[in-house]
Amino acid sequence: MRIGLIGTGRIGSFHAGVLARHPEVGALVLADVDPVRAAGVAGALGADAAPDVAALFEHALDAVVIASATAAHAELIARAAGAGLPAFCEKPIALDVPGTRLALAAVAEAGTELQLGFMRRFDAGYRAAREAVESGRLGRLHTVRAVTSDPEPPPAAYLPLSGGLYRDCLVHDFDIVRWVTGREVVEVYATGSDAGPAMFREAGDVSTAAALLTLDDGTLVTATATRRNGAGYDVRMELAGDRDQIAVGLDDRTPLTSVERHGPAAPGKPWPGFLERFAPAYEAELDAFVRLVRGEAANPCDGREALAALSIAEACEHSRRERRPVRVGENGATT
């Protein structure tokens, strides 16, 4: 199988390494807006480098992996679809609903496949949580708590391009809440704080956010995120039902210290970042994509899932601005 990968930044380089090691990938072609960077990554992996994206599409490819800057995602998805190629794309498809819809329409018209990079769906803990909900082990689910805390904020130049904390970061929580519970979010009430470095205020973004989500069966969900968590990278989910309660992401590397006398000790090696925490999940999602391309498995995360998660993020932004509860789809962001 011959795969083209667009974007050789941090996540793109990681994906390139995974694909280069995959037994079903016989050839890998890399491209980036910085051709020198693409050539460097390709050389380290024994892959080929194209001088630009146009040249990459001239290769006889079987599929495309898109890990470029967010602003290019929708165009590249449409380009892959026009070439009749299945595509894997990092979230998001686009930073707004109209752009997302246009890209999805291009895929639908071409009849190709688009798999989205919501890697938490491939994490062992989240998969076990989904199974616990489906089996009825928890009983009636009444409360879910989702936490995403990054240890360090992104560069200031990235913030205006990110779409904001809800679209860029919490969108992972919105997706995984839907996937684990099997329910839809119908209403949100969100707020945020821009306290801290001035770059967040200058970008019109927030550094910390919280959202109360109501699911279609009445289950309440809290989702919080912050750009600066000094203890380390902390991504967790708690699910409480009338029979049992479970947690995802609670292990000996969780950057959380109990002050109770008999509580667990501080982690000796807390998670430093998302690549370390979710490395097995990233590998699993790309393996699933290879199997999808080979016709051996169904699409595990169709592009339309991105639209559903983005609709929740859009509602949260609407709620934060107007300081009131907002129904998902009220601002036109329907799925």
Side-chain angles (χ1 to χ4, degrees):
M1 179 182 298
R2 191 175 184 85
I3 292 182
L5 184 145
I6 304 169
T8 55
R10 187 180 182 190
I11 189 62
S13 296
F14 183 89
H15 286 334
V18 172
L19 291 168
R21 296 189 300 270
H22 198 288
E24 299 296 340
V25 178
L28 184 63
V29 184
L30 311 182
D32 193 279
V33 292
D34 180 349
V36 174
R37 181 168 67 181
V41 175
L45 296 174
D48 296 323
D52 52 39
V53 172
L56 178 139
F57 275 98
E58 291 176 359
H59 287 261
L61 302 175
D62 297 299
V64 174
V65 171
I66 300 168
S68 61
T70 294
H73 286 186
E75 178 187 352
L76 291 172
I77 289 169
R79 189 166 189 171
L85 297 174
F88 172 95
C89 184
E90 277 298 327
K91 64 81 189 167
I93 290 176
L95 292 179
D96 57 33
V97 169
T100 301
R101 288 188 182 282
L102 284 173
L104 291 176
V107 172
E109 182 177 354
T112 54
E113 294 281 2
L114 172 62
Q115 180 182 329
L116 254 291
F118 283 126
M119 78 292 186
R120 295 187 195 181
R121 294 182 178 217
F122 298 86
D123 176 72
Y126 285 106
R127 296 180 79 87
R130 176 180 163 97
E131 291 169 5
V133 172
E134 290 178 339
S135 71
R137 167 186 163 188
L138 306 183
R140 182 187 66 82
L141 194 63
H142 54 74
T143 307
V144 178
R145 304 175 189 93
V147 175
T148 294
S149 300
D150 287 330
E152 296 287 344
Y158 172 77
L159 292 177
L161 310 175
S162 71
L165 192 57
Y166 295 104
R167 298 185 188 91
D168 181 53
C169 185
L170 274 165
V171 72
H172 278 291
D173 297 273
F174 301 152
D175 175 72
I176 205 63
V177 163
R178 295 179 59 249
W179 189 75
V180 168
T181 66
R183 314 301 308 193
E184 296 295 339
V185 177
V186 295
E187 186 177 78
V188 308
Y189 192 14
T191 188
S193 170
D194 62 5
M199 63 181 185
F200 294 102
R201 293 183 291 279
E202 292 168 357
D205 197 5
V206 294
S207 59
T208 303
L212 173 63
L213 317 176
T214 301
L215 304 187
D216 56 14
D217 64 347
T219 301
L220 297 181
V221 180
T222 58
T224 63
T226 187
R227 292 292 197 184
R228 180 66 184 270
N229 189 56
Y233 182 71
D234 187 14
V235 171
R236 285 177 285 122
M237 174 182 273
E238 299 173 7
L239 299 104
D242 55 17
R243 292 183 185 171
D244 200 1
Q245 180 173 234
I246 59 175
V248 178
L250 184 60
D251 59 22
D252 60 0
R253 297 192 67 181
T254 303
L256 181 68
T257 302
S258 173
V259 297
E260 300 297 337
R261 181 178 177 184
H262 299 295
K269 190 180 180 182
W271 294 111
F274 65 92
L275 282 180
E276 296 82 1
R277 166 68 177 84
F278 288 108
Y282 281 117
E283 293 186 12
E285 71 176 358
L286 285 178
D287 179 66
F289 179 61
V290 169
R291 289 187 287 115
L292 170 66
V293 175
R294 287 172 56 85
E296 299 171 353
N299 193 332
C301 189
D302 185 270
R304 288 168 293 189
E305 302 293 337
L307 180 57
L310 178 62
S311 296
I312 300 167
E314 294 267 284
C316 284
E317 284 287 6
H318 194 181
S319 175
R320 180 177 73 88
R321 289 195 305 269
E322 300 194 2
R323 297 181 177 274
R324 66 176 179 86
V326 170
R327 301 285 294 182
V328 175
E330 179 182 326
N331 57 342
T334 56
T335 58

